[in-house]
Amino acid sequence: MSTQTQNLLEFRLPDIGEGVVEGELIAWLVKPGDEVAADQAMFEVMTDKATVEIPSPRKGKIVKTIGEPGQIINVGDVVVVIEMEAGAKAPITHGSHKTEAPAAAAPAIVEAPICAPVGNLPEPEEIEHAVNAFGRILATPATRKAARELGVDLARVPGTGPKGRITKEDVRRVAEGGVTTAPAPAPVAATVQVAAAATAAPAPVKAAAPAIVSHVPELEERIPLRGMRKKIAEKMAQSKQTAAHFTVVDEADVTELVKLRTDSKEAAIGHGVKLTFLPFILKAVAIALKEFPMLNASLDEATQELVLKKYYNLGVAVSADAGLIVPVVRDVDKKSLFQIAREVDEVADRARNGKSAIQELQGGTFTVSSIGNIGGLIATPVINYPEVGILAVTKIQKRPVIRNDEIVARDMLYLSLSFDHRVVDGADGVKFCNRIIQLLENPTLLLMA
């Protein structure tokens, strides 16, 4: 292809999830000179939500890749330059109201579809859009993909979703020749937010930590802190620096629970379910959370409001090769033990294999960490911020205890619960723990919920 017919497209890191402003480049799946098809994965990027593959918006040839694995890239940064075929339509930048045109004779650099290409629609009146703090129109990745496929420019679509967000239905309506008049509510709040962000005083600069000087470098190995391990480090540090941790440790006599699980194993297998103790524990936690709503809350730092959540989505800590991952089982309070067992097995398996969808890692209200298969007596778990509570359970083991003035062997389980003391009072934390113990010691109560 001659330079006279070249059409270069700068692909920018798209908005890939709510609240995500940057990601770590994990791996390149293409290299300069490779031919790529539309929607072919080009690179992997890790955000604080998940690791995702980013596809090419057009068929073409990779001219340049920007960045090395381990590098942090911001939403909107140019990551790949693609040479499109002669005559291919180039996406126009977001604010423009020009229609798509065939590639120009002279070389042209155009912005990649972090926003959708413009469709062949009549010139509309100016539409005000709700935008995020970076000035980007509010729309989910799925909506952006639909806009690309239908040849619709999001700048010409009035949003009717929450807070002015553009929905798939909005895109389809415009693609079918629907009205493009802006909806009544104007995105004043978003405009103010952008202005405030632009004029805010810079954050104080933190002094860099001194480098650790080695005295025996030949006996040491240095591994770059990147990928999942880096995200875990950041999340743990954020939790300890923000939440005021306090931990309660108690024990439960789960002899009856062990018996119930043993009796239920065959029935579970008949339903294609592997029944562990974890589903019983999750069910008990969900019941207790309903009775102690402050444990199912979060603190909105920006508005200084407590957010009480009326849904019970429990995170399950999973140890994977890449590090600790917390997929979420939704609406635990509404599901049977077999349903919970099946979903725990499914989300944990995807997490271990790095196949978790972003949605599976979002929306948790409380976390349970089970380390019983590994060992340990007690733990002091770190809160999965911005949640306000986490439960760690260790191994069940027979121990001598006193019952009716006699020493007997019982199956005992230690429970360690950490809470954010800014939100949860100590008395409520202990009562919450006591309720979980009561449910685990009398497991038939779980079958009635």
Side-chain angles (χ1 to χ4, degrees), residues 102-223:
I109 299 291
V110 292
E111 293 193 1
I114 185 172
C115 311
V118 181
N120 294 318
L121 297 173
E123 192 75 16
E125 60 184 83
E126 187 74 15
I127 297 175
E128 292 189 7
H129 289 91
V131 297
N132 60 19
F134 299 90
R136 300 182 192 90
I137 291 176
L138 293 182
T140 65
T143 299
R144 297 181 189 279
K145 181 180 179 182
R148 286 197 301 270
E149 292 172 347
L150 294 172
V152 174
D153 180 8
L154 291 182
R156 305 176 66 174
V157 181
T160 61
K163 298 183 180 179
R165 183 183 302 279
I166 295 174
T167 67
K168 284 186 180 179
E169 289 70 27
D170 297 332
V171 171
R172 291 193 186 99
R173 184 168 54 254
V174 172
E176 293 167 1
V179 178
T180 59
T181 303
V188 176
T191 304
V192 172
Q193 184 182 17
V194 174
T199 58
V205 178
K206 294 183 179 179
I212 297 176
V213 179
S214 174
H215 297 288
V216 282
E218 67 278 5
L219 298 180
E220 298 176 351
E221 178 184 2
R222 288 186 172 242
I223 302 172

Side-chain angles (χ1 to χ4, degrees), residues 11 28-31 33-44 53-62 80 82 145 148:
F11 182 86
W28 282 108
L29 307 178
V30 296
K31 62 183 181 300
D34 285 354
E35 298 287 341
V36 291
D39 294 325
Q40 178 181 335
M42 297 187 294
F43 58 94
E44 289 183 351
E53 293 182 345
I54 304 298
S56 171
R58 292 285 190 274
K59 179 181 179 182
K61 180 179 179 180
I62 302 297
V80 185
I82 304 171
K145 181 180 179 182
R148 286 197 301 270

Side-chain angles (χ1 to χ4, degrees), residues 276-287:
T276 65
F277 289 106
L278 187 54
F280 295 96
I281 295 169
L282 292 177
K283 191 70 173 179
V285 168
I287 293 171

Side-chain angles (χ1 to χ4, degrees), residues 94-335:
H94 208 15
S96 172
H97 292 297
K98 297 179 181 179
T99 57
E100 283 187 339
I109 299 291
V110 292
E111 293 193 1
I114 185 172
C115 311
V118 181
N120 294 318
L121 297 173
E123 192 75 16
E125 60 184 83
E126 187 74 15
I127 297 175
E128 292 189 7
H129 289 91
V131 297
N132 60 19
F134 299 90
R136 300 182 192 90
I137 291 176
L138 293 182
T140 65
T143 299
R144 297 181 189 279
K145 181 180 179 182
R148 286 197 301 270
E149 292 172 347
L150 294 172
V152 174
D153 180 8
L154 291 182
R156 305 176 66 174
V157 181
T160 61
K163 298 183 180 179
R165 183 183 302 279
I166 295 174
T167 67
K168 284 186 180 179
E169 289 70 27
D170 297 332
V171 171
R172 291 193 186 99
R173 184 168 54 254
V174 172
E176 293 167 1
V179 178
T180 59
T181 303
V188 176
T191 304
V192 172
Q193 184 182 17
V194 174
T199 58
V205 178
K206 294 183 179 179
I212 297 176
V213 179
S214 174
H215 297 288
V216 282
E218 67 278 5
L219 298 180
E220 298 176 351
E221 178 184 2
R222 288 186 172 242
I223 302 172
L225 183 63
R226 62 176 55 157
M228 183 63 71
R229 176 51 50 194
K230 182 177 181 180
K231 288 299 177 185
I232 292 172
E234 292 171 352
K235 291 285 286 185
M236 294 298 99
Q238 179 191 27
S239 179
K240 294 296 286 186
Q241 292 167 6
T242 307
H245 282 64
F246 84 98
T247 301
V248 174
V249 178
D250 210 332
E251 63 179 356
D253 182 342
V254 293
T255 304
E256 295 302 317
L257 177 60
V258 171
K259 185 182 301 183
L260 176 61
R261 177 192 174 239
T262 300
D263 294 342
S264 304
K265 269 188 174 181
E266 285 190 15
I269 293 172
H271 285 78
V273 173
K274 178 183 177 183
L275 188 61
T276 65
F277 289 106
L278 187 54
F280 295 96
I281 295 169
L282 292 177
K283 191 70 173 179
V285 168
I287 293 171
L289 287 173
K290 280 193 169 184
E291 299 173 15
F292 296 89
M294 293 303 289
L295 276 299
N296 202 54
S298 61
L299 175 60
D300 189 326
E301 305 275 358
T303 63
Q304 287 297 290
E305 294 175 320
L306 292 174
V307 183
L308 302 180
K309 298 165 185 178
K310 307 297 178 64
Y311 50 94
Y312 304 89
N313 300 341
L314 303 187
V316 180
V318 175
S319 178
D321 290 342
L324 186 67
I325 304 174
V326 186
V328 175
V329 179
R330 285 177 155 69
D331 300 319
V332 172
D333 60 311
K334 300 176 183 177
K335 294 173 179 173

